[in-house]
Amino acid sequence: MFIGIDIVEINRIKKLCISNERFLNKIYTVKELEYCLPKKNRHQHLAARFATKEAMFKALGTGWTGKIKWTDVELLNDEKGKPYLNFYGNVKELVEEKNINTAEVSLSHCNEYAIAQVLLVPGAVSAASSKL
Protein backbone atom coordinates (compact mmCIF):
# COMPACT_ATOMS: atom_id res chain seq x y z
CA MET A 1 0.00 0.00 0.00
CA PHE A 2 1.05 3.56 -0.64
CA ILE A 3 -0.35 6.51 1.30
CA GLY A 4 -0.13 10.27 0.95
CA ILE A 5 -1.67 13.14 2.88
CA ASP A 6 -1.70 16.89 2.36
CA ILE A 7 -3.26 19.93 4.00
CA VAL A 8 -3.58 23.34 2.36
CA GLU A 9 -4.74 26.76 3.47
CA ILE A 10 -7.88 27.65 1.53
CA ASN A 11 -6.97 31.35 1.51
CA ARG A 12 -3.68 30.50 -0.26
CA ILE A 13 -5.60 28.80 -3.09
CA LYS A 14 -8.07 31.68 -3.23
CA LYS A 15 -5.23 34.21 -3.61
CA LEU A 16 -3.62 32.14 -6.36
CA CYS A 17 -6.94 31.90 -8.21
CA ILE A 18 -7.43 35.67 -8.03
CA SER A 19 -3.85 36.78 -8.76
CA ASN A 20 -2.87 34.28 -11.46
CA GLU A 21 -5.34 33.77 -14.28
CA ARG A 22 -3.45 30.71 -15.59
CA PHE A 23 -3.44 28.94 -12.22
CA LEU A 24 -6.86 27.30 -12.63
CA ASN A 25 -6.11 25.78 -16.03
CA LYS A 26 -2.64 24.64 -14.98
CA ILE A 27 -3.85 22.82 -11.85
CA TYR A 28 -7.41 21.65 -12.58
CA THR A 29 -9.09 19.65 -15.33
CA VAL A 30 -12.15 20.98 -17.14
CA LYS A 31 -14.39 18.57 -15.23
CA GLU A 32 -12.94 19.67 -11.88
CA LEU A 33 -13.57 23.32 -12.74
CA GLU A 34 -17.10 22.53 -13.90
CA TYR A 35 -17.75 20.98 -10.49
CA CYS A 36 -16.02 23.59 -8.29
CA LEU A 37 -16.65 26.99 -9.86
CA PRO A 38 -20.46 27.03 -9.48
CA LYS A 39 -20.19 26.18 -5.77
CA LYS A 40 -20.83 28.86 -3.16
CA ASN A 41 -17.58 27.95 -1.37
CA ARG A 42 -15.63 27.19 -4.54
CA HIS A 43 -12.23 27.80 -2.99
CA GLN A 44 -12.81 25.06 -0.40
CA HIS A 45 -13.51 22.60 -3.21
CA LEU A 46 -10.54 23.81 -5.26
CA ALA A 47 -8.27 23.55 -2.21
CA ALA A 48 -9.46 19.99 -1.53
CA ARG A 49 -8.57 19.03 -5.09
CA PHE A 50 -5.18 20.72 -4.80
CA ALA A 51 -4.50 18.80 -1.57
CA THR A 52 -5.60 15.58 -3.27
CA LYS A 53 -3.13 16.06 -6.11
CA GLU A 54 -0.31 16.72 -3.62
CA ALA A 55 -1.32 13.66 -1.56
CA MET A 56 -1.36 11.56 -4.73
CA PHE A 57 2.17 12.63 -5.66
CA LYS A 58 3.30 11.75 -2.14
CA ALA A 59 1.61 8.35 -2.32
CA LEU A 60 3.40 7.65 -5.59
CA GLY A 61 6.68 8.57 -3.92
CA THR A 62 7.54 11.11 -6.59
CA GLY A 63 6.44 14.43 -5.19
CA TRP A 64 5.55 16.90 -7.90
CA THR A 65 8.14 16.73 -10.67
CA GLY A 66 8.45 18.33 -14.07
CA LYS A 67 7.39 15.06 -15.73
CA ILE A 68 4.04 15.07 -13.96
CA LYS A 69 1.28 17.54 -14.79
CA TRP A 70 -1.19 18.67 -12.16
CA THR A 71 -3.97 17.68 -14.56
CA ASP A 72 -2.64 14.09 -14.67
CA VAL A 73 -4.67 13.60 -11.46
CA GLU A 74 -8.39 14.35 -11.57
CA LEU A 75 -10.71 14.26 -8.56
CA LEU A 76 -14.41 13.87 -9.32
CA ASN A 77 -17.48 12.77 -7.37
CA ASP A 78 -19.87 9.94 -8.17
CA GLU A 79 -23.66 10.34 -8.16
CA LYS A 80 -23.74 9.90 -4.37
CA GLY A 81 -20.97 12.45 -3.81
CA LYS A 82 -18.17 9.96 -3.10
CA PRO A 83 -14.85 11.27 -4.42
CA TYR A 84 -12.87 9.18 -6.90
CA LEU A 85 -9.69 9.61 -8.90
CA ASN A 86 -8.87 9.47 -12.60
CA PHE A 87 -5.28 9.32 -13.83
CA TYR A 88 -3.77 10.51 -17.09
CA GLY A 89 -0.36 10.86 -18.72
CA ASN A 90 2.72 10.17 -16.61
CA VAL A 91 0.71 9.58 -13.44
CA LYS A 92 -1.29 6.87 -15.20
CA GLU A 93 1.98 5.27 -16.33
CA LEU A 94 3.34 5.33 -12.75
CA VAL A 95 0.12 3.82 -11.41
CA GLU A 96 0.37 1.03 -13.97
CA GLU A 97 4.09 0.46 -13.23
CA LYS A 98 3.29 0.05 -9.52
CA ASN A 99 0.42 -2.32 -10.38
CA ILE A 100 -2.06 -0.12 -8.52
CA ASN A 101 -5.65 -1.09 -9.19
CA THR A 102 -7.37 0.47 -6.19
CA ALA A 103 -7.27 4.14 -5.24
CA GLU A 104 -9.12 5.63 -2.29
CA VAL A 105 -9.36 9.29 -1.36
CA SER A 106 -10.74 10.99 1.72
CA LEU A 107 -11.31 14.75 1.91
CA SER A 108 -12.31 17.29 4.48
CA HIS A 109 -12.41 21.06 4.69
CA CYS A 110 -13.42 23.82 7.07
CA ASN A 111 -13.24 27.60 6.78
CA GLU A 112 -9.43 27.74 6.78
CA TYR A 113 -8.05 24.37 5.66
CA ALA A 114 -8.63 21.52 3.24
CA ILE A 115 -7.06 18.11 3.73
CA ALA A 116 -6.85 15.02 1.55
CA GLN A 117 -5.56 11.53 2.07
CA VAL A 118 -4.88 9.09 -0.77
CA LEU A 119 -4.44 5.35 -0.39
CA LEU A 120 -3.13 3.32 -3.33
CA VAL A 121 -3.33 -0.46 -3.22
CA PRO A 122 -1.43 -2.64 -5.66
CA GLY A 123 -2.61 -6.08 -6.68
CA ALA A 124 -6.06 -7.22 -5.55
CA VAL A 125 -9.14 -5.18 -6.38
CA SER A 126 -11.83 -4.51 -3.78
CA ALA A 127 -15.44 -4.29 -4.93
CA ALA A 128 -16.05 -1.17 -2.79
CA SER A 129 -13.05 0.79 -4.11
CA SER A 130 -12.28 2.89 -7.14
CA LYS A 131 -11.07 0.56 -9.88
CA LEU A 132 -8.49 1.84 -12.30
Side-chain angles (χ1 to χ4, degrees):
M1 287 190 290
F2 308 96
I3 192 165
I5 190 168
D6 193 68
I7 186 169
V8 65
E9 291 178 273
I10 294 169
N11 200 39
R12 175 178 164 233
I13 299 302
K14 182 177 182 178
K15 287 178 183 178
L16 286 167
C17 291
I18 293 169
S19 67
N20 184 347
E21 62 188 53
R22 292 181 290 184
F23 175 77
L24 289 174
N25 293 322
K26 178 181 178 182
I27 304 298
Y28 305 101
T29 67
V30 170
K31 288 181 182 179
E32 288 173 321
L33 293 173
E34 286 173 353
Y35 175 82
C36 294
L37 294 180
K39 301 281 187 190
K40 178 181 178 184
N41 296 316
R42 70 179 60 107
H43 296 106
Q44 286 180 345
H45 296 280
L46 291 166
R49 275 146 185 79
F50 187 91
T52 298
K53 292 166 190 265
E54 287 275 11
M56 179 65 195
F57 300 149
K58 290 173 182 177
L60 284 173
T62 61
W64 183 79
T65 67
K67 294 180 182 181
I68 294 174
K69 295 179 185 175
W70 291 96
T71 54
D72 285 350
V73 177
E74 180 179 63
L75 175 68
L76 300 176
N77 298 81
D78 69 14
E79 61 280 349
K80 294 182 180 179
K82 181 182 178 192
Y84 67 92
L85 296 166
N86 289 325
F87 306 120
Y88 306 101
N90 288 324
V91 169
K92 185 174 183 176
E93 288 178 20
L94 285 168
V95 164
E96 290 170 357
E97 283 175 23
K98 292 181 180 276
N99 191 33
I100 296 165
N101 21 358
T102 304
E104 295 291 343
V105 61
S106 182
L107 313 169
S108 190
H109 48 72
C110 61
N111 289 333
E112 295 182 32
Y113 298 98
I115 189 168
Q117 185 171 28
V118 172
L119 175 67
L120 304 175
V121 182
V125 177
S126 167
S129 301
S130 298
K131 293 166 194 76
L132 309 176

